[in-house]
Amino acid sequence: MADLPSITNNPDIRFLGKLLGDVIRAYGGEALYERTESIRAASVERHRGATDDKSVDLALDQLDLDETVDFVRGFMLFSMLANLAEDRQGVTAEQGADLASALDRLAEEGIDKAKAIALLQHALLAPVLTAHPTEVRRKSMIDHRNRIAALMLLRDTGATDTPEGDDVEQAILRQIALLWQTRVLRRERLYVTDEVETALSYLRDVFLPALPALYQRWDRALGERTPGFLKPGSWIGGDRDGNPFVTADSLRAALAKASEAVLVYYLDAVHALGAELSISTNLAPADTAVTALADASGDNAESRSDEPYRRALSGVYARLAATHLALTGKAAPRPGPLTGERYADPQAFRADLVIIARALAAGGGGTLSSGGALGRLIRAVETFGFHLATLDLRQNSAVLERVVAELLKVAGVEDDYLAMNESQRVSLLRHELSNARPLGSAFAEYSDETKSELAILRAAATAHATYGTACIVQHIVSMAQSVSDLLELNVLLKEVGLYRPQGTDGQTPIAAIMAVPLFETIGDLEAAPEIMTEWFALPEVRAVTAARGYQEVMIGYSDSNKDGGYLTSTWSLSKGSTALRSVFADAGVGMQLFHGRGGAVGRGGGSAFAAIRAQPFGTVQGRIRITEQGEVIAGKYGTRDSAMTNLEAMASATLLASLEPEQLSAADTQRFSEAMDQLSASAFKAYRDLVYGTEGFRTFFREMTPIAEISGLKIGSRPASRTKSDRIEDLRAIPWVFSWAQARVMLPGWYGVGQAIDAFEDKALLRDMAQGWPFFAATLANMEQVIAKSDMGIAARYAALVEDRSLADAIFPRIEAGWRQAHDGLLDVTGQSRLLEAHPALETSIRLRLPYIEPLNLLQIELIKRRRAGDEDERIGEGILLSINAIATALRNSG
């Protein structure tokens, strides 16, 4: 495909677009190529503003169904390749979002490296991969994309041949041809095991090599070894909230696969070190510790008698192979000739590696000190252990409540726990937690739900004994609304030995897995400080948190947005975090917030660097966990380079947010907060009046957007709704946001904000807030991106899908007016003459996409009309699902 005039400064897009055009011509035929090119050129003309929009006919009606399907695939692939090109050009990278820049900024404010290192000694930054279904592309598509990225890097070096001898540009063309012929859509819905495998591919292929290399970069920036504060997490295979397919078996499988992956990585690394460290005692004196390790290895080969490092590593490899057998039940992929005793834990493995590293560093002025492959391996062991990534458990509080109620009833302790008030529940649960007596009996009958929950927790206890306690640290309680919700989890943990009333000192309780409340709705966020105050008031909780040093609280972006709209959700999360900071400070407990962000702005998406820096003062404290999900995982962690860029941005932001002094004066904090309270109240009213207070809105939403068609995309193992009702309250936040994005409305990312700005009298104050308050600036910046991607003209065509025209005519003009208010209000507050004026790279990125999205939207609308009218042609269904996939790819963060 020819390039857009507005992006001629990106040669990668021109190059990849031309190759895609060649592939379409070769495999689709000249007619398809010419028709696709004609539509592309006409759409570009419309978006360049060179002609009146209405005067250009895209001639979409000339496409037959087969051509429509091929056309949609072509535009999707161009968007996919454009995303790749932009990532390579650093369009998504942020200025100053690296550790060296963060240290320089801190130094300017009088904060030296010693303070940064001291913070990092107790810090934690954890990106947590989740299986939330917003990634519409098959893994096969992503794999081809990554191969193209690797080949483009090779091309950058000036190489004309690959290491295998292929012509580089022909190899890229071949991958694009494979993309063209690869089935885009999944035929079957994903299972939990599929989601585990997908996440594992990122952890194994990207995080494992990227993190040790990133630490080496940070070591140079800090001038000493960086404390190990960045560790990945996952909750795929452990998140059973609303997902009946997550079981004890899926938990065991997720843990076993992760352990096998990291152990194979270690085995390969040790094998490579053995080949590298050919040091002979004939040329260098042998360290006594290394000699002892070599002598204990059992490697008596004459050919290596003068090579203690190789002999020592032979023994390390043998012990690691025995560990692999013990933890996975399988022999090592490359079995060695020696046998050894398995490592009891990762620390024992690391200790042997450190012996070798110290010996290497002792001679030659430290020339062979552990900055190379050995140093990276030691760092990997510290970071990934034998578990690869910490796996979270999650369950809804209502399920835990029912399970505890059944256990109490069957045990003869309390016949009707569910009828008890909160005070009675807390008293009873604390009594149960004060003694070691279990409630369950192997001879009693329980419901399937209770048996399933206990089986999962037993599997967690076994995992602790097998892989170490770092494999599962948190259990999230979603919809947490009381202290009893958390105590119920501890009662269940006690059933399997993961909570003990007395530890080794005979007094302090031990909670091997931490109960983490998830506050999701606006009401939950407002109640959170009181709940946590009551939680810390319990003596046994104070003892457990004092021993651990911190308590985690998870705050949810998605449900709070669906509940109260974008501005109120964002502000409620900020206010809730600030209020929690005081609660934690009063309790003398370190606070660790877990941010349940999504990819779309309506679910907390946007720049992680800006979002972390915009957190309320004093709430980061060096410890933060953030969910990464759906298409965001592929976008941020698809390659080692992109992963390192994004992880460093998060690390830098965490350092700055934790150490930088308060940016606002007390007076500004008060007046800005009061203004936000007023804005939030106005936005909340406008949003609730539309979504929950307008008769027929539920029908309007379901007929205007492709929400019904989205359910046909096989992109996740969880159902779209929590119940079988069609109420918006019961719809999950992901399909809610996803469907509005497809219809180019993006309503969850802006509705209500325009009305709030319009009603606020002191516009000068809002301009001051936009200039001087990172929180408000980030809020507006994220909304600006969403508004730029929305299109009320296209949205009006989706509104025409609503059967009841009076209903559509009553509701859509309100949405359109709200968009105009948000658009104009944003420009006024930010002082811009057009959207994204202050962000030219992002503006160019979005402008590039718009001509490729509009024809997809128009085709999708026509296909939906035909399907809803009863046309059952398989190509129509395929075209709809392909268009959903293509639009999501072009929008990038639509989920």
Side-chain angles (χ1 to χ4, degrees):
M1 291 185 179
D3 58 282
L4 286 172
S6 60
I7 49 88
T8 53
N9 60 334
N10 191 328
D12 285 351
I13 293 181
R14 292 202 309 275
F15 171 69
L16 293 171
K18 178 185 179 301
L19 293 186
L20 176 60
D22 292 343
V23 166
I24 292 175
R25 184 186 281 111
Y27 289 93
E30 189 68 31
L32 175 64
Y33 171 80
E34 292 296 341
R35 191 155 294 178
T36 299
E37 180 61 17
S38 174
I39 294 170
R40 185 204 64 79
S43 188
V44 168
E45 287 298 304
R46 288 173 64 154
H47 282 270
R48 286 179 60 198
T51 58
D52 186 295
D53 280 1
K54 296 180 181 178
S55 70
V56 177
D57 180 12
L58 297 184
L60 294 174
D61 57 348
Q62 296 179 21
L63 297 172
D64 62 30
L65 280 177
D66 289 328
E67 290 174 328
T68 295
V69 170
D70 287 339
F71 170 82
V72 171
R73 283 198 300 131
F75 268 39
M76 182 208 67
L77 291 180
F78 178 82
S79 296
M80 188 175 180
L81 294 172
N83 293 347
L84 166 62
E86 286 187 347
D87 291 343
R88 283 172 40 77
Q89 295 295 325
V91 171
T92 55
E94 295 168 89
Q95 191 69 28
D98 60 275
L99 198 70
S101 296
L103 292 171
D104 289 343
R105 184 183 181 94
L106 290 173
E108 291 171 1
E109 295 170 343
I111 301 168
D112 60 20
K113 289 182 180 179
K115 291 182 180 177
I117 292 169
L119 175 82
L120 295 179
Q121 292 285 358
H122 306 285
L124 174 69
L125 171 60
V128 180
L129 308 187
T130 80
H132 284 34
T134 61
E135 173 56 84
V136 292
R137 296 171 298 176
R138 289 178 63 212
K139 183 64 167 54
S140 297
M141 302 288 289
I142 297 172
D143 288 342
H144 286 305
R145 181 261 187 208
N146 290 343
R147 291 185 193 114
I148 294 170
L151 288 166
M152 291 292 286
L153 284 174
L154 187 61
R155 182 173 179 263
D156 291 342
T157 67
T160 57
D161 297 332
T162 69
E164 296 76 22
D166 295 328
D167 178 86
V168 170
E169 294 194 359
Q170 282 297 312
I172 296 171
L173 179 66
R174 183 174 183 272
Q175 289 300 318
I176 295 175
L178 288 169
L179 272 174
W180 178 256
Q181 297 177 95
T182 296
R183 176 168 43 84
V184 175
L185 301 173
R186 297 183 180 94
R187 288 180 173 168
E188 297 179 349
R189 182 169 294 279
L190 283 175
Y191 295 99
V192 176
T193 51
D194 299 319
E195 294 168 336
V196 168
E197 288 287 354
T198 298
L200 187 61
S201 70
Y202 290 105
L203 291 167
R204 179 189 61 232
D205 301 337
V206 178
F207 280 82
L208 258 173
L211 275 180
L214 195 54
Y215 272 115
Q216 285 189 324
R217 181 191 299 173
W218 294 341
D219 292 347
R220 293 191 292 271
L222 286 169
E224 62 180 87
R225 197 168 193 271
T226 309
F229 69 98
L230 175 53
K231 298 183 178 182
S234 172
W235 71 22
I236 304 172
D239 173 23
R240 56 205 190 278
D241 180 16
N243 192 340
F245 306 111
V246 175
T247 63
D249 285 341
S250 66
L251 178 64
R252 282 189 287 266
L255 291 162
K257 288 178 180 294
S259 181
E260 181 177 2
V262 76
L263 288 170
V264 168
Y265 178 86
Y266 294 158
L267 285 164
D268 288 343
V270 171
H271 179 75
L273 280 171
E276 179 185 356
L277 297 181
S278 56
I279 301 169
S280 169
T281 53
N282 295 332
L283 300 170
D287 178 274
T288 55
V290 170
T291 300
L293 200 58
D295 291 343
S297 70
D299 184 353
N300 299 314
E302 182 63 29
S303 60
R304 289 187 291 275
S305 61
D306 65 329
E307 297 174 338
Y309 290 93
R310 281 181 166 171
R311 292 173 58 223
L313 286 166
S314 294
V316 170
Y317 189 94
R319 294 193 65 186
L320 197 56
T323 307
H324 183 282
L325 178 62
L327 297 188
T328 69
K330 304 175 185 177
R334 187 193 293 111
L338 305 179
T339 59
E341 182 183 351
R342 62 159 289 187
Y343 284 112
D345 51 43
Q347 291 73 33
F349 174 38
R350 179 187 179 277
D352 281 354
L353 296 176
V354 168
I355 288 173
I356 297 171
R358 285 176 177 166
L360 289 171
T367 302
L368 294 178
S369 60
S370 60
L374 177 57
R376 289 190 292 275
L377 177 57
I378 292 171
R379 179 68 79 173
V381 177
E382 294 170 351
T383 304
F384 303 104
F386 288 161
H387 62 283
L388 184 57
T390 297
L391 181 63
D392 288 1
L393 305 181
R394 185 171 76 139
Q395 184 55 284
N396 194 286
S397 61
V399 175
L400 303 179
E401 177 186 71
R402 291 194 297 269
V403 171
V404 168
E406 184 174 4
L407 288 175
L408 290 168
K409 182 176 182 179
V410 172
V413 175
E414 173 55 51
D415 282 343
D416 197 356
Y417 173 78
L418 298 180
M420 300 176 77
N421 62 35
E422 175 66 6
S423 176
Q424 292 170 326
R425 289 186 181 192
V426 169
S427 178
L428 174 57
L429 295 170
R430 290 186 66 202
H431 174 74
E432 287 301 320
L433 289 169
S434 68
N435 66 80
R437 170 186 52 80
L439 287 169
S441 168
F443 306 102
E445 289 295 324
Y446 298 103
S447 65
D448 289 342
E449 181 176 66
T450 294
K451 287 188 286 188
S452 176
E453 287 302 306
L454 290 176
I456 285 171
L457 295 180
R458 289 190 192 101
T462 301
H464 268 214
T466 304
Y467 308 110
T469 58
C471 71
I472 301 174
V473 176
Q474 290 93 352
H475 188 306
I476 300 150
V477 180
S478 57
M479 298 304 292
Q481 297 174 333
S482 64
V483 167
S484 64
D485 289 338
L486 303 178
L487 291 175
E488 285 159 3
L489 173 58
N490 279 347
V491 166
L492 295 178
L493 291 172
K494 192 191 76 165
E495 289 294 300
V496 298
L498 291 172
Y499 181 98
R500 297 180 183 178
Q502 290 91 29
T504 54
D505 63 0
Q507 296 178 333
T508 307
I510 292 178
I513 292 179
M514 175 171 44
V516 177
L518 167 52
F519 301 113
E520 300 179 80
T521 67
I522 301 299
D524 291 344
L525 290 166
E526 291 173 347
E530 181 179 352
I531 292 172
M532 295 310 296
T533 298
E534 295 174 1
W535 178 244
F536 291 136
L538 301 179
E540 59 272 35
V541 170
R542 280 202 305 273
V544 168
T545 52
R548 185 186 297 117
Y550 68 95
Q551 167 70 47
E552 180 171 287
V553 170
M554 185 174 184
I555 51 178
Y557 289 66
S558 302
D559 283 289
S560 61
N561 175 277
K562 187 162 69 73
D563 184 38
Y566 173 63
L567 196 66
T568 300
S569 168
T570 306
W571 182 231
S572 295
L573 288 160
S574 179
K575 286 179 67 177
S577 300
T578 301
L580 285 169
R581 178 190 66 195
S582 299
V583 170
F584 276 69
D586 291 344
V589 176
M591 182 169 72
Q592 178 172 296
L593 290 181
F594 185 11
H595 295 260
R597 288 162 48 98
V601 167
R603 296 180 46 245
S607 163
F609 181 73
I612 294 172
R613 293 200 64 198
Q615 291 304 305
F617 179 72
T619 61
V620 177
Q621 300 178 12
R623 303 188 69 89
I624 187 169
R625 297 205 307 148
I626 302 174
T627 55
E628 303 282 27
Q629 49 196 256
E631 79 284 0
V632 173
I633 296 175
K636 292 175 68 172
Y637 308 117
T639 66
R640 172 177 148 164
D641 288 341
S642 62
M644 291 176 69
T645 297
N646 284 287
L647 290 170
E648 182 156 27
M650 293 166 65
S652 305
T654 300
L655 200 62
L656 290 170
S658 301
L659 292 177
E660 277 192 306
E662 172 66 273
Q663 303 294 306
L664 297 180
S665 66
D668 279 347
T669 297
Q670 181 174 348
R671 69 190 185 108
F672 289 176
S673 296
E674 289 173 353
M676 275 303 303
D677 282 338
Q678 185 177 333
L679 288 169
S680 175
S682 297
F684 180 78
K685 184 179 185 306
Y687 176 85
R688 294 288 302 188
D689 284 350
L690 175 71
V691 175
Y692 297 104
T694 300
E695 186 175 354
F697 185 84
R698 181 194 321 174
T699 301
F700 172 84
F701 160 68
R702 290 190 174 275
E703 293 185 4
M704 175 187 172
T705 72
I707 178 65
E709 289 74 19
I710 285 171
S711 65
L713 275 175
K714 298 172 176 61
I715 58 176
S717 63
R718 295 198 310 175
S721 287
R722 292 185 170 89
T723 71
K724 293 184 178 180
S725 85
D726 66 349
R727 298 192 322 148
I728 291 172
E729 292 91 335
D730 295 325
L731 183 69
R732 293 192 183 279
I734 291 168
W736 166 253
V737 172
F738 196 89
S739 54
W740 283 118
Q742 287 285 313
R744 300 294 297 286
V745 181
M746 313 282 193
L747 183 140
W750 56 264
Y751 194 84
V753 182
Q755 295 93 319
I757 292 175
D758 199 43
F760 196 87
E761 294 183 2
D762 190 352
K763 299 296 193 295
L765 173 56
L766 297 184
R767 296 185 193 106
D768 287 346
M769 291 163 61
Q771 290 295 316
W773 192 13
F775 164 79
F776 195 57
T779 300
L780 293 179
N782 286 335
M783 186 180 80
E784 184 176 10
Q785 179 187 149
V786 168
I787 293 176
K789 290 182 179 180
S790 60
D791 188 314
M792 287 301 107
I794 292 176
R797 294 176 180 250
Y798 279 91
L801 292 171
V802 179
E803 291 185 15
D804 185 341
R805 295 315 308 153
S806 62
L807 181 64
D809 292 342
I811 294 177
F812 185 72
R814 290 174 61 187
I815 294 175
E816 202 169 20
W819 183 91
R820 176 54 58 187
Q821 284 179 298
H823 174 277
D824 295 349
L826 175 72
L827 294 182
D828 181 41
V829 170
T830 59
Q832 298 179 106
S833 62
R834 67 178 188 277
L835 292 175
L836 301 173
E837 183 178 10
H839 306 281
L842 183 57
E843 180 185 25
T844 299
S845 171
I846 291 176
R847 285 173 62 85
L848 162 68
R849 280 162 173 68
L850 296 180
Y852 294 85
I853 304 174
E854 180 183 4
L856 295 170
N857 283 121
L858 299 179
L859 283 172
Q860 185 183 87
I861 291 166
E862 291 307 310
L863 292 170
I864 289 174
K865 280 182 184 177
R866 291 178 62 172
R867 172 49 61 90
R868 292 182 183 179
D871 193 330
E872 296 297 325
D873 192 304
E874 289 183 1
R875 293 170 296 178
I876 291 177
E878 182 183 4
I880 292 172
L881 298 182
L882 277 172
S883 70
I884 293 171
N885 191 304
I887 292 168
T889 299
L891 291 173
R892 300 209 75 170
N893 57 349
S894 63

